[in-house]
Amino acid sequence: MPILKTRHWSHAIAGAADMSASRLQPLTGFGSNPGALNGWLYAPDDRTDMALVVVLHGCTQTAAGYNHGSGWSDLAEQHGFAVLFPEQQRTNNPNLCFNWFVAQDVARDSGEVLSIRQMIDAVVGRHAIDPRRIFVTGLSAGGAMAGAMLAVYPELFAGGGIIAGIPYGAAFSVSQAMERMRGAGHQGDLAYADKVRRASSHQGPWPTVSIWQGEADRTVKPANADAIIGQWRGVHGAAVTPDRTDIVDGHRHRVWLGSDGRQVVEEYRIAGMDHGLPLKTQGPGSCGTAGAFMLEAGISSTWRQAQTWGLLGAARSRTARPSATSRAKAAPAATTAAIKLPVIDLKTTIEGVLRSAGLMR
């Protein structure tokens, strides 16, 4: 989905990126890997009952680059949890986008989602992971794929984060994908919720969802965040009206509660922000490094998600998955530069946009 070229950074920043990337170790031998993805892992050796966060990069990005910008492994090292970075290959998508719009890659036990599931199973089997505290988050195409993982393997995750993403089941072709990114052609909340319910045989409880969207996003329009809210609100049976609205670090934050009073859906709407990951790089609650699609917004999506999921201290978050017993009872912001297309014929323009979005070779 992102269509800006990678920028060149100073040697100092490159050195910092090398340090954070060095924490990530290749994950191999994790299964049949039908989606032909790479995997990278950071897991502290001296911890038990660790949470695991699965992190999915956006288009044009790599696992190491996204880790450096988002700060996930920095936070994991400080607070003792593990992070897994599935990584796309150019042989699958020339712009390194996860294939969220390809049916076989977002169907349970098929393609890319199965590869990611196999990675998770391998990490749980090899490390001291608490299976009740597994989370998934992603940006853009990675956000759409995070939504797919939550939909097709809901029993696996306690919660997830979708940043500048697309609702699950919104598109299964290039033309549909482009239309949805523009905010057009979306189905209603009930139809979208039904797509999640039909993606597996799972009957609940359902993972909690944290949704992040820049108000000035020109690549994935804010209407997509509204559709994602409706999808997961419907799955959880939450009311249309949020139960709480407040301002966090200068940005609107809305919360929906389930019937048991737990937070099940939240949304952060980032004022003035274009397409990218919201960062706060200085002061309390800071994490990550600004760069291409890593945007200083005065609020850290990485830190806030980790806080919501109870990863920043000993106390568990209220959004952690219920116990087995309760399950049995339950059925200032910066923006990216504008994209300026040359004055050319319509066919060339459309094809250029499709290629830059990773939807056409």
Side-chain angles (χ1 to χ4, degrees):
M1 295 185 206
I3 55 180
L4 293 178
K5 294 182 179 179
T6 302
R7 300 175 185 173
H8 298 283
W9 307 105
S10 70
H11 294 299
I13 293 177
D18 289 343
M19 289 178 64
S20 63
S22 68
R23 292 197 193 98
L24 303 183
Q25 300 299 315
L27 181 70
T28 60
F30 54 81
S32 59
N33 191 15
L37 303 177
N38 294 326
W40 299 88
L41 176 70
Y42 169 73
D45 293 329
D46 58 344
R47 301 296 181 113
T48 59
D49 295 324
M50 289 183 292
L52 172 65
V53 181
V54 182
V55 184
L56 301 170
H57 63 78
C59 298
T60 75
Q61 296 176 321
T62 64
Y66 192 81
N67 176 42
H68 172 59
S70 65
W72 270 111
S73 73
D74 294 334
L75 216 56
E77 183 179 51
Q78 294 169 28
H79 296 279
F81 59 89
V83 284
L84 167 66
F85 287 81
E87 183 180 63
Q88 185 59 280
Q89 299 194 77
R90 292 197 186 276
T91 51
N92 298 329
N93 186 292
N95 283 312
L96 299 178
C97 308
F98 289 103
N99 288 308
W100 58 274
F101 53 90
V102 177
Q104 62 265 31
D105 282 313
V106 293
R108 186 178 172 99
D109 297 338
S110 175
E112 292 180 8
V113 293
L114 179 54
S115 290
I116 297 169
R117 171 65 193 262
Q118 289 175 342
M119 292 183 200
I120 295 169
D121 289 344
V123 173
V124 171
R126 299 172 192 178
H127 298 272
I129 303 298
D130 181 350
R132 299 169 300 173
R133 295 196 296 153
I134 301 175
F135 306 89
V136 62
T137 182
L139 167 67
S140 192
M145 190 58 80
M149 292 299 298
L150 293 169
V152 302
Y153 296 116
E155 76 283 3
L156 185 62
F157 298 103
I162 302 173
I163 304 167
I166 309 287
Y168 174 73
F172 292 106
S173 70
V174 169
S175 60
Q176 289 178 357
M178 296 302 297
E179 187 178 34
R180 303 303 173 266
M181 289 166 61
R182 293 193 301 268
H186 279 297
Q187 300 180 34
D189 296 348
L190 293 178
Y192 272 146
D194 190 53
K195 286 179 180 291
V196 173
R197 295 191 187 98
R198 290 189 287 107
S200 75
S201 61
H202 186 67
Q203 299 298 307
W206 300 95
T208 64
V209 183
S210 180
I211 299 155
W212 294 73
Q213 178 68 47
E215 286 188 340
D217 193 330
R218 291 166 290 181
T219 302
V220 176
K221 296 293 186 179
N224 286 283
D226 297 331
I228 298 168
I229 291 169
Q231 181 170 61
W232 285 99
R233 217 183 16 76
V235 168
H236 282 283
V240 174
T241 304
D243 294 278
R244 186 173 77 247
T245 299
D246 53 11
I247 301 297
V248 178
D249 289 338
H251 304 285
R252 189 183 73 179
H253 176 233
R254 299 191 293 173
V255 172
W256 288 262
L257 305 179
S259 59
D260 59 357
R262 287 190 315 129
Q263 176 179 307
V264 293
V265 177
E266 70 173 353
E267 181 216 24
Y268 285 90
R269 191 63 66 103
I270 310 304
M273 195 184 80
D274 203 341
H275 192 66
L277 187 78
L279 294 177
K280 180 181 182 181
T281 58
Q282 308 249 337
S286 62
C287 191
T289 303
F293 306 113
M294 299 290 176
L295 307 180
E296 177 59 59
I299 185 170
S300 169
S301 56
T302 300
W303 194 91
R304 289 286 172 184
Q305 286 175 97
Q307 181 189 50
T308 294
W309 298 334
L311 306 184
L312 301 184
R316 295 275 182 91
S317 168
R318 290 180 62 209
T319 63
R321 184 176 291 281
S323 66
T325 301
S326 65
R327 286 203 303 273
K329 294 178 182 178
T335 61
T336 54
I339 309 305
K340 295 183 179 180
L341 293 174
V343 179
I344 51 179
D345 66 87
L346 181 60
K347 178 175 181 293
T348 303
T349 299
I350 293 173
E351 289 181 352
V353 172
L354 291 175
R355 288 193 184 94
S356 66
L359 301 176
M360 177 178 178
R361 295 182 184 274

